[in-house]
Amino acid sequence: MKEIGGDLSLSGEVRTEFQATSDRLDGRELRGLIPGRPMYAWDVEVNLMLDYRTERTWAAIKIEFDNDMGVRSGTVNNIRLEKAYLGGRILAGDTLTIDGEIGRRNLFNVFDSKVQFSSLYDGVLFRFNKAFEEIGDFYFNGGSFIVNDNTNHYGWVFELGALGIANTGLNMKYSLIDWYRPGGETESGDTAVQTALANQRYDFLISQLTAYYQFYPQWIGKKLIKIYSAALMNHLASSSKIVNGVEIIPTFGKKANIAWYTGVSIGTVKKALDWAVDANFQWVQAQAYPTFDNLGIGRGNASGLGFYTADANGSGGPVAPGKAGGNTNFYGFELEGLYAITNNLTVQQTFRYSNTLNKQISENEKYRQYEMELIYAF
């Protein structure tokens, strides 16, 4: 490394996590009855991060070891490549920079949302950043990613943002993600209904508009306060689709393609005794974004039901009317607190609650979860 030049950074985290979860479907508790869905769960996790940077190039790696605790229930071999990408600076100007990156990370590492962008972003990314002294800082992040290389299915996504508008704390962002594949997801041996159901899982073109204002008031010790709101719409949602006499859209002839959330966060955690809290409310209709891309509270869905199909992984036939599952079609709130005991050790606590939004589409499912996590970072 001394010969090729550059800076190497190695960091890591050791985490222990406790979750207490209740998932009641029409009054019947599912947690503890379904294998792999305990009511009280303990995890141990290790994250290793490796970053290498030269003047105009870089690479980043993150490997996650996330395993269940327990003599009988414990696991030791759950390994995940969470991040692996390389990049370089294409243009380095005084007020304009253009970067290109290719590899793996999560969508939420690049694009901003409280409810979507939980999926992997395996693809290429371009970043444009432009600063205007009296107007603010503008950026554009966009690129294409792989959905399924067996069917040549690719998606694309971009986010356009304006930060510090007119030298104030006002910030605006707009994103658009396209999961749809023209021609469909047809694979050998699929029936017409199976093909239509597979296609429906990706029939999403989603806009999100986000606005937030941040400031540092004296009365709270100049801690950061951030007030935010966002609205989403799936432009490709259909109200009904019949294939070979079978209705494959379980929304009873109406579109359910809107979502929104709003919240406030206070504080940042950088050193010992720092604290931060966040509270937000989420309202998500059933077709607002793909259920597999849910980053929000969700509905628990301990039974593993899909929204369009009997199974969440897209297999099985159409869901029965009024029995749609998945992790959309909910409203609820989330509270999160973070406190740094030392410079290295942080405790994080989260409480989530959600209820079914449209009980005609899905059975009444009430979901609650308390989570406490100790994080030692080095």
Side-chain angles (χ1 to χ4, degrees):
M1 287 187 296
K2 184 177 180 180
E3 291 177 356
I4 63 176
D7 297 317
L8 178 68
S9 171
L10 176 66
S11 56
E13 297 173 335
V14 178
R15 296 172 175 245
T16 58
E17 177 185 311
F18 167 73
Q19 290 182 345
T21 305
S22 173
D23 192 349
R24 302 184 69 84
L25 184 63
D26 278 342
R28 183 170 64 97
E29 180 60 62
L30 298 181
R31 289 283 174 162
L33 300 177
I34 299 174
R37 301 282 188 169
M39 183 174 288
Y40 304 105
W42 299 83
D43 290 343
V44 61
E45 179 180 334
V46 172
N47 295 310
L48 295 177
M49 287 81 78
L50 185 70
D51 293 275
Y52 184 76
R53 178 175 289 271
T54 68
E55 185 176 352
R56 295 191 64 156
T57 62
W58 55 85
I61 300 169
K62 181 179 180 181
I63 301 176
E64 177 186 78
F65 304 82
D66 190 354
N67 286 269
D68 299 332
M69 288 182 172
V71 174
R72 293 190 62 185
S73 60
T75 58
V76 296
N77 58 350
N78 291 338
I79 304 173
R80 172 185 169 94
L81 181 61
E82 191 167 299
K83 185 184 295 183
Y85 65 86
L86 58 94
R89 178 139 294 177
I90 300 170
L91 176 65
D94 293 334
T95 61
L96 173 66
T97 61
I98 302 176
D99 299 334
E101 297 175 343
I102 187 169
R104 164 173 292 186
R105 75 202 83 190
N106 287 99
L107 283 165
F108 64 73
N109 289 140
V110 182
F111 307 102
D112 188 9
S113 181
K114 283 282 188 182
V115 294
Q116 64 170 338
F117 298 144
S118 70
S119 301
L120 286 175
Y121 183 25
D122 286 333
V124 61
L125 172 70
F126 291 98
R127 300 178 184 265
F128 300 81
N129 295 275
K130 173 65 176 176
F132 296 92
E133 186 174 349
E134 300 298 329
I135 302 175
D137 298 330
F138 293 81
Y139 72 88
F140 174 90
N141 297 333
S144 183
F145 58 96
I146 302 168
V147 179
N148 186 350
D149 59 6
N150 291 319
T151 58
N152 292 321
H153 184 175
Y154 301 90
W156 57 265
V157 58
F158 73 82
E159 183 176 274
L160 179 66
L163 310 178
I165 299 173
N167 293 320
T168 68
L170 179 62
N171 305 271
M172 302 283 290
K173 299 180 179 182
Y174 172 77
S175 67
L176 183 67
I177 183 167
D178 183 10
W179 293 95
Y180 177 69
R181 179 183 184 272
E185 277 284 304
T186 305
E187 294 191 20
S188 177
D190 283 354
T191 67
V193 173
Q194 289 172 330
T195 298
L197 288 169
N199 294 341
Q200 203 60 50
R201 295 183 75 230
Y202 301 101
D203 207 7
F204 290 89
L205 176 66
I206 306 151
S207 290
Q208 176 172 323
L209 180 63
T210 306
Y212 62 94
Y213 188 83
Q214 56 188 36
F215 55 104
Y216 301 83
Q218 291 278 0
W219 56 269
I220 200 171
K222 289 189 175 181
K223 287 188 176 296
L224 171 67
I225 295 182
K226 178 179 174 181
I227 302 170
Y228 56 87
S229 292
L232 296 81
M233 174 182 285
N234 172 24
H235 304 286
L236 297 183
S238 299
S239 58
S240 177
K241 186 176 292 184
I242 297 175
V243 180
N244 287 355
V246 178
E247 174 62 76
I248 65 170
I249 298 181
T251 58
F252 295 91
K254 297 180 180 179
K255 291 184 180 181
N257 61 334
I258 304 294
W260 60 269
Y261 63 86
T262 187
V264 59
S265 61
I266 304 174
T268 56
V269 174
K270 297 181 180 180
K271 63 183 186 305
L273 307 183
D274 282 350
W275 58 269
V277 294
D278 179 88
N280 65 83
F281 178 85
Q282 303 174 14
W283 189 93
V284 177
Q285 289 189 316
Q287 298 170 293
Y289 52 80
T291 184
F292 59 79
D293 195 41
N294 176 59
L295 189 64
I297 302 164
R299 300 175 60 231
N301 196 32
S303 56
L305 295 172
F307 180 70
Y308 293 109
T309 56
D311 297 313
N313 63 7
S315 63
V319 296
K323 303 289 186 180
N327 269 313
T328 54
N329 190 29
F330 70 89
Y331 66 92
F333 65 89
E334 181 179 53
L335 304 173
E336 184 177 73
L338 203 62
Y339 179 74
I341 301 172
T342 70
N343 287 341
N344 298 92
L345 181 61
T346 303
V347 59
Q348 178 176 313
Q349 298 185 76
T350 307
F351 178 76
R352 304 177 182 94
Y353 170 84
S354 72
N355 204 344
T356 303
L357 180 63
N358 187 325
K359 297 179 179 62
Q360 183 185 25
I361 296 174
S362 307
E363 293 180 283
N364 186 24
E365 187 165 7
K366 293 184 178 180
Y367 172 64
R368 295 189 301 272
Q369 184 182 77
Y370 167 75
E371 178 180 319
M372 183 176 73
E373 192 167 11
L374 293 172
I375 307 165
Y376 190 89
F378 57 91

